[in-house]
């Protein structure tokens, strides 16, 4: 099972991915988490991406595709993968198709969390106060939203045309969103 959790930054993808990991044993592949871990470890990759991430821009397709490739190879027997924050560009989506095809599989579902941008800004301001993530400050967050609308949102019609996209209201409580996602996943998993 390959499931993409899709939506703008702070839409709740990470929260839902972690729940599905606990409940269904899937592996969460969050490129944002992987990159933050690289920055925290002070590795060469971390130093390379630190300022890009802090500015709210996207790191190169090449870097994140390599991270995903590595994780797919490291977990050959996983019951499923949840892609969280990846793919974020058309190039990444094409590369993911190829990585999966090489392994005899494909994207089964894309669940899009539909959220209101003003409400997101409020949500992320709160997260900034609680967690202090530099790229959650309101100015940087606006850049991240712009990147989402310019580079990531074009994937929506692509997945819709393929018949794998389902939309879920992402503005409710965590419980309500969880129920909606489980409904969208249905008997598929
Ligand atoms: P996230 O936690 O998913 O919002 O990611 C935090 C930051 O990491 C983003 O603003 C980007 O700078 C970088 N990043 C994470 N995933 C990707 C990706 N798939 N492509 C490019 N940059 C990414």
């Amino acid at each position: 099972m390959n499931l993409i959790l899709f939506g703008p930054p702070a839409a709740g993808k990470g929260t839902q991915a972690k729940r599905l990991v606990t409940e269904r044993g899937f592996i969460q592949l969050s490129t944002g988490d992987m990159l933050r871990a690289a920055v925290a470890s002070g590795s060469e990759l971390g130093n390379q991406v630190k300022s890009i991430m802090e500015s709210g821009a996207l790191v190169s397709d090449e870097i994140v595709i390599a991270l995903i490739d590595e994780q797919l190879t490291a977990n050959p027997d996983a019951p499923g993968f949840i892609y969280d924050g990846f793919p974020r560009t058309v190039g990444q989506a094409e590369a993911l198709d190829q990585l999966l095809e090489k392994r005899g599989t494909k994207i089964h579902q894309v669940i899009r969390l539909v959220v209101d941008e003003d409400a997101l800004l409020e949500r992320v301001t709160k997260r900034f106060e609680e967690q202090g993530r530099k790229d959650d400050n309101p100015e940087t967050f606006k850049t991240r939203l712009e990147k989402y609308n310019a580079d990531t949102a074009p994937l929506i019609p692509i997945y819709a045309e393929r018949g794998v996209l389902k939309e879920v209201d992402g503005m409710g409580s965590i419980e309500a969103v969880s129920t909606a996602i489980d409904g969208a996943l249905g008997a598929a998993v």
Side-chain angles (χ1 to χ4, degrees):
M1 173 74 183
N2 289 290
L3 167 69
I4 297 176
L5 278 183
F6 195 91
K13 302 186 298 291
T15 303
Q16 290 298 328
K18 287 186 175 65
R19 179 183 69 86
L20 291 166
V21 166
T22 309
E23 292 177 7
R24 303 187 190 225
F26 290 173
I27 290 185
Q28 176 191 10
L29 297 182
S30 160
T31 41
D33 284 353
M34 293 176 212
L35 292 168
R36 273 186 290 280
V39 171
S41 76
S43 67
E44 198 185 321
L45 170 66
N47 293 335
Q48 203 180 328
V49 299
K50 188 170 188 283
S51 60
I52 300 173
M53 290 176 74
E54 284 175 2
S55 75
L58 295 180
V59 310
S60 74
D61 283 358
E62 204 183 0
I63 287 177
V64 287
I65 292 163
L67 289 172
I68 293 289
D69 193 8
E70 206 176 284
Q71 287 302 312
L72 293 177
T73 302
N75 296 285
D77 302 322
F81 291 99
I82 304 171
Y83 303 85
D84 161 14
F86 180 93
R88 257 176 157 99
T89 64
V90 173
Q92 291 177 24
E94 286 170 1
L96 180 59
D97 283 340
Q98 283 164 17
L99 290 177
L100 295 178
E101 199 184 325
K102 234 171 47 186
R103 293 167 170 88
T105 184
K106 61 177 183 175
I107 294 297
H108 298 92
Q109 275 202 30
V110 179
I111 293 194
R112 175 186 173 205
L113 297 178
V114 181
V115 286
D116 173 77
E117 290 199 1
D118 291 334
L120 273 193
L121 197 56
E122 249 173 63
R123 190 185 275 186
V124 98
T125 304
K126 194 165 156 238
R127 188 167 81 177
F128 182 53
E129 283 159 9
E130 285 168 2
Q131 299 176 12
R133 247 178 77 174
K134 279 191 186 153
D135 62 350
D136 275 349
N137 82 62
E139 273 318 300
T140 312
F141 186 70
K142 280 183 195 149
T143 307
R144 291 166 67 201
L145 265 185
E146 279 163 22
K147 294 306 282 175
Y148 169 79
N149 285 316
D151 297 340
T152 311
L155 295 175
I156 296 168
I158 295 175
Y159 287 125
E161 198 162 304
R162 237 194 257 183
V164 292
L165 182 74
K166 288 208 174 144
E167 301 196 333
V168 158
D169 177 5
M171 291 314 299
S173 65
I174 291 178
E175 292 71 28
V177 177
S178 302
T179 304
I181 289 180
D182 288 344
L185 287 174
V189 283

